[in-house]
Amino acid sequence: MDNRLIVSSSPHIRADESVNRIMRDVVIALLPATLAGVYFFRIGAVKIILAAVIAAVVTEALIQKICKKPVTINDWSAVVTGLLLAFNIPASAPWWIPVIGSVFAIAIVKQVFGGLGHNFMNPALAARAMLLASWPVQMTAWVKPGADAVSTATPLAILGGEAAGEQLPSLADLIIGNIGGCIGETSAILLIIGGIYLVYRGVITPRVPIIYIATVAVLTFILGGFSIQFMIYQVFAGGLMIGAIYMATDYASSPVTPKGQVIFALGCGILTSIIRLYGGYPEGVSYSILLMNVAVPLIDKYTSPRVFGEVK
Amino acid sequence: MNLLSFRGGVHPPHYKEATERFKVEKAKEPDRVAIPLQQHIGAPCEPLVKVGDKVKIGQKIGEAKAFVSTPVHSSVSGEVKQIARMLTPTGEVECIVIEADGLNEVHESVKPKGDIENLSGKQILDIIKEAGIVGMGGATFPTHVKLSPPPEKKIDTIILNGAECEPYLTADHRLMLEDPESIVYGLRAMMKVVNVSKAYIGIEDNKPDAIESMKNASKGYKEIKVVGLKTKYPQGAEKQLIYACTKREVPSGGLPMDAGVIVNNVATASAVAKAIKTGMPLIERICTITGKGIKEPKNLLIKVGTYIKEIVEQCGGYNGNPGKIILGGPMMGLSQHTDEIPSTKGTSGILVFTPEEARLPEPKACIRCGKCVDICPAFLQPLYISAYSLRNMYETAEKYHALDCIECGSCSFICPSKRPLLQSIRVAKREIIAKKRKTK
Ligand code: SF4
Ligand code: SF4
């Protein structure tokens, strides 16, 4: 029997936490918002979501095959990237937009830097920025919810003055997501429910989302002339919810120290508010997170926690 | 109850149900014991007997001149058959093999030493040293050394560790239920040695009956406070326990005495009581034999030197093929190559896994989830220390405070990518310490 005994370093038991479980939980958390996206934008949304997810998974498998690395598509992380990317694309976009985005996200942003955990930027966000720069028309062709794809402006564009004159949607519509915008950006309430699920499952801490959203709320309230209505629209419209809950909490591209996460979230909030209010572009979430992503190694370095028993 | 705790830590499943209700049974008398001459931290002992000598229970058979060391005693009466290097739980060590004659004769030196009231602190300290008492929670540090802090360190508190935060183990739990008086007696003796008037007994709140039992036993002594601790691993780690009870932090790189505290295990206190009251040195201990790989899990009182294999046989033997044999708990215990090794003063548990349970998970890439940082009770960043260690960048690992790691294993436990974090951190620690020695 002796040679069959396994000898290894302690600890001898492991938590049943796993990468697969975490990623699967993210997919589950995104499900309500996905269904809402499909409900509001019908077949257009289905097309975009399927194209993005399939392209992401296939790209990951192909690259790993070619590089002779173990294929890890069953860890669900490619599905998450595809889904998040789809959420950031308007339902009216042609099918090849999400495909190009997913290939870019997985091949360039994720795999070139060494795969899961090594990407210093959020792949879905980086892909969105790339798509927006390359195909600005398709990426901002917002449509009204419904089957007939009537074009419209997003609430933020209306607020920001780019689409002045259009009617602002009602607050209720804003929160359920019955508004113009990207597929998954719209239903704030469902995104929040998914976020609560992730906190409950221990996948994310509420630290980053809460601080990020709170910073935007406070700054837009102060800088927006102390208008509660303006602040509420800033918080619930656009990509803030999805960005704060699902993108800024991306493990690989956010700090690992609690203090670092606070700084990161504050930075995201400040940048988002400034870009939205003073930048030439109504939405600032993607760029803010990407900018902060780049600063993460620095933040991590300077926020090393005080070691137990250490006097600082 | 107001539960005390520390920051960080994990919640492994307890797995204590298998044995927590079983009274401690006396193990069968062994026919043969192998008593390691080094079963504690410090210098190994020199044998005091030779092959062919007759020995009795409690007779001192090994001793070292060094201060940081402690004698070993025979746990049986019989004849010395062999003195040789043999495999023990901590590697190859010189052992004295004694064949028992079944007479169970007790050595003349074993007689009551008096009472706490009549003994001076110095006398009690000598009794503890002579009785070969070591920390029985697993670290096996000689107790008399712990109780002899240098004069410039002001000690004002003793803490007894009854947390038993390792999953599976129930030996301390049973002791607290079955013989709480001996723990209190031993604690009072230790308090006299270091002349302190404040003591805590810390117990995790998943053992309410033990808390109750210790409270009753210490009723007459106002200076002893039994405190409930939050059930969380590693609640029983010295520095974390001190923080939970006194809110003091042991300085980085320091020892508990730097915070004015001495920590001992409840089983150690009980052994002290026994040494004073009956004169019997530390020759047996309670051990939990458990795990899915054991047919009938038990808490047994085993004699030091009994072979693990024999102890397992008394618990119905293995359940199928054993996959892994661990001495101690699943978080910090040592896995063994064989069961043909003797038990020691530190054998608090024999845990046997089935081959399925023993299978090692495939490590994946770190996803930077930050969970290891969140839970590290020493507030380290295990992912970085481990990464630098794997790249042989030990100096950078040291900058990340690798030496402050208490090797609790919480980081490896929680990591969703199943990375062997602690394993690589241990390598870094070893390299850093080796280098420090060289440059000294
Ligand atoms: S717990 Fe594991 S995966 Fe998460 S940051 Fe630490 S090492 Fe990386
Ligand atoms: S780094 Fe050391 S102290 Fe921190 S969790 Fe890991 S083993 Fe425990």
Side-chain angles (χ1 to χ4, degrees), chain B residues 62 310 371 395 423:
Chain B
E310 260 177 58
K371 284 181 202 283
E395 269 165 38
Q423 199 180 335

Side-chain angles (χ1 to χ4, degrees), chain A residues 4-6 8-15 17-20 202 251-252 254 257 300 304-310, chain B residues 249-252 321 323-324 330-331 333 335 337 364 367-368 371 378-379 381 384 401 409 412-413 416-418 426:
Chain A
R4 257 179 276 151
L5 283 179
I6 289 184
S8 67
S9 183
S10 65
H12 306 287
I13 47 174
R14 302 296 186 90
E17 204 115 3
S18 70
V19 178
N20 302 17
Y251 291 149
S254 66
T257 64
D300 255 351
S304 283
R306 180 194 69 98
V307 170
F308 184 93
E310 185 188 25
Chain B
E249 280 190 16
V250 175
S252 161
N321 264 323
K324 198 182 217 181
M331 296 299 287
S335 63
H337 291 275
K364 293 191 177 162
I367 54 170
R368 287 180 48 91
K371 284 181 202 283
F379 312 163
Q381 302 178 71
Y384 290 131
H401 301 275
S412 300
F413 171 81
S417 291
K418 313 288 168 204
R426 273 203 193 105

